[in-house]
Amino acid sequence: MALEIERKFLVTGTAWREAAGVRYAQGYLNRDKHRTVRVRVAGEAAFLTIKGLTQGATRAEFEYPIPLADAQALLQLCEGPLIEKTRYVLQVGQTTWEVDEFHGENAPLVVAEVELPSEDAAFDRPDWLGEEVTQDARYFNASLSQRPFQHW
């Protein structure tokens, strides 16, 4: 089984903007807490992703590339508003960080994620890393699509 072990943090400052960003649009065909089914367009690439229940910082994840036209059609079937964001990928020491700058009703939220080989793995911390929100379900993208950041 494919596992995703991910920790999530708020971001401070703007030093993370050094990387080029890719525009994302994503929506949810299912947002049940035990399983989510997501459609994502990332630039000119598209993916269908199924994620299981989060336990700690770990959950099952299955992601498959799909044709861009299919993803665009599937986004029209998604529940609620789409998540729109720009993703920046940065290397800090030996650690790869993904920083998501949200747009629309989730602006001005900026969140950084790091995928790890285990929940207790060490990682390089950038200066712009803020409070950890791994366990706060409000920051899950599926939650943000139901209750956007501006409505908290």
Side-chain angles (χ1 to χ4, degrees), residues 13-147:
T14 59
W16 50 272
R17 288 185 187 270
E18 65 191 43
V22 175
R23 188 74 178 215
Y24 280 46
Q26 66 187 48
Y28 292 85
L29 296 166
N30 182 4
R31 289 185 291 226
D32 182 278
K33 73 175 188 174
H34 296 284
R35 75 201 64 74
T36 59
V37 180
R38 176 186 74 204
V39 177
R40 173 183 279 169
V41 173
E44 296 300 313
F47 304 90
L48 182 66
T49 306
I50 300 112
K51 295 187 179 196
L53 179 66
T54 300
Q55 297 179 349
T58 305
R59 63 182 163 182
E61 178 184 61
F62 304 91
E63 185 166 79
Y64 308 97
I66 61 173
L68 182 58
D70 288 359
Q72 290 168 333
L74 286 169
L75 285 173
Q76 302 303 311
L77 301 176
C78 290
E79 303 171 346
L82 298 180
I83 294 288
E84 297 178 78
K85 61 188 179 181
T86 301
R87 174 163 287 173
Y88 303 83
V89 178
L90 298 104
Q91 194 68 31
V92 177
Q94 298 298 311
T95 305
T96 301
W97 287 91
E98 295 176 338
V99 176
D100 289 339
E101 177 182 22
F102 290 85
H103 306 295
E105 291 187 84
N106 285 303
L109 180 62
V110 181
V111 175
E113 299 174 346
V114 60
E115 290 200 26
L116 301 168
S118 66
E119 286 197 25
D120 60 351
F123 54 90
D124 295 307
R125 293 177 169 266
D127 293 339
W128 40 259
L129 202 62
E131 174 188 355
E132 183 166 5
V133 293
T134 300
Q135 302 299 324
D136 190 337
R138 294 178 303 165
Y139 292 97
F140 295 174
N141 282 267
S143 297
L144 290 169
S145 72
Q146 289 180 296
R147 188 163 180 241

